[in-house]
């Protein structure tokens, strides 16, 4: 289960961890400009996490040349929203080390900087993998019951023929 809220530009992400894999797939980091009459050629935006380059928009076009490898194929924006001043970042396949402060540097006619704190909270379902074999999975129980029912039906149908 993944949930997020954005009070005062602080983002909370709750991930359900099962066997140490995060089941949350993405989070949206908001960033919007006060300016709404923008021209594509005047838009440059830099997304940073610590000192890492997460994403860049240069003259209205996406640029991943300087992107840190940790964000390759995981960070994306919404180009159709640039002219409306929306430079929000979608971060896919969240990882524990994605938590932290993100900065959105908007270099337009009136430069702006927005900060977003991403918290990845982990709730661990399985504390100890050593007990994994003691509890059968629900799919296994259904399969066993189905097999028994079919066996009983087959036995009864053969008995009365």
């Amino acid at each position: 289960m993944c949930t997020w809220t954005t009070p005062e530009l602080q983002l909370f992400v709750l991930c359900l961890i099962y066997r140490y894999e995060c089941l949350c797939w993405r989070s949206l980091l908001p960033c919007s400009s006060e300016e709404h009459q923008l021209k594509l050629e005047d838009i440059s935006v830099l997304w940073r996490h610590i000192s890492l380059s997460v994403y860049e928009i240069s003259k209205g076009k996406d640029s991943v040349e300087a992107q840190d490898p940790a964000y390759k194929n995981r960070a994306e924006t919404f180009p159709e929203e640039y002219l409306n001043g929306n430079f929000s970042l979608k971060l896919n396949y969240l990882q524990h080390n994605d938590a932290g402060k993100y900065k959105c540097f908007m270099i337009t006619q009136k430069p702006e900087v927005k900060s977003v704190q991403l918290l990845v909270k982990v709730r661990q379902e399985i504390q100890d993998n050593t007990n994994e074999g003691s509890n059968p999975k629900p799919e296994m129980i259904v399969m066993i019951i189905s097999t028994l029912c079919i066996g009983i039906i087959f036995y009864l149908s053969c008995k009365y023929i």
Side-chain angles (χ1 to χ4, degrees):
M1 174 179 83
C2 299
T3 60
W4 57 82
T5 58
T6 56
E8 300 175 19
L9 288 178
Q10 197 169 57
L11 191 68
F12 299 91
V13 178
L14 174 66
C15 292
L16 176 64
I17 299 293
Y18 183 77
R19 295 186 191 190
Y20 307 103
E21 287 183 41
C22 185
L23 298 179
C24 284
W25 295 112
R26 60 179 108 29
S27 181
L28 185 66
L29 306 178
C31 178
S32 59
S33 173
E34 301 296 324
E35 293 183 58
H36 294 290
Q37 295 179 337
L38 300 170
K39 297 178 185 170
L40 283 178
E41 60 272 5
D42 295 336
I43 298 172
S44 290
V45 178
L46 309 172
W47 270 99
R48 298 288 185 263
H49 177 228
I50 311 167
S51 62
L52 304 176
S53 175
V54 180
Y55 206 87
E56 291 186 15
I57 302 165
S58 179
K59 296 185 180 182
K61 296 187 180 189
D62 299 339
S63 174
V64 292
E65 292 172 9
Q67 185 179 49
D68 188 274
Y71 298 100
K72 184 176 182 180
N73 298 322
R74 295 195 317 121
E76 60 184 286
T77 57
F78 307 93
E80 66 278 3
E81 291 293 321
Y82 294 168
L83 292 176
N84 297 324
N86 181 358
F87 309 110
S88 299
L89 178 78
K90 184 164 73 169
L91 190 57
N92 298 308
Y93 307 107
L94 290 176
Q95 302 169 5
H96 296 284
N97 55 353
D98 288 334
K101 186 182 233 177
Y102 287 77
K103 287 191 177 184
C104 173
F105 297 90
M106 295 170 278
I107 305 158
T108 58
Q109 300 274 343
K110 181 184 168 193
E112 301 173 64
V113 178
K114 302 280 174 117
S115 293
V116 180
Q117 183 73 29
L118 176 63
L119 303 175
V120 180
K121 293 187 178 184
V122 177
R123 188 177 77 203
Q124 202 165 336
E125 278 294 297
I126 297 177
Q127 296 292 332
D128 185 8
N129 285 343
T130 57
N131 296 332
E132 203 170 295
S134 62
N135 296 328
K137 294 182 179 178
E139 300 88 2
M140 188 61 96
I141 294 171
V142 170
M143 186 181 77
I144 292 170
I145 292 173
S146 298
T147 305
L148 287 173
C149 289
I150 291 171
I152 292 170
I153 292 170
F154 182 76
Y155 171 77
L156 292 174
S157 65
C158 290
K159 185 176 180 181
Y160 293 107
I161 295 182

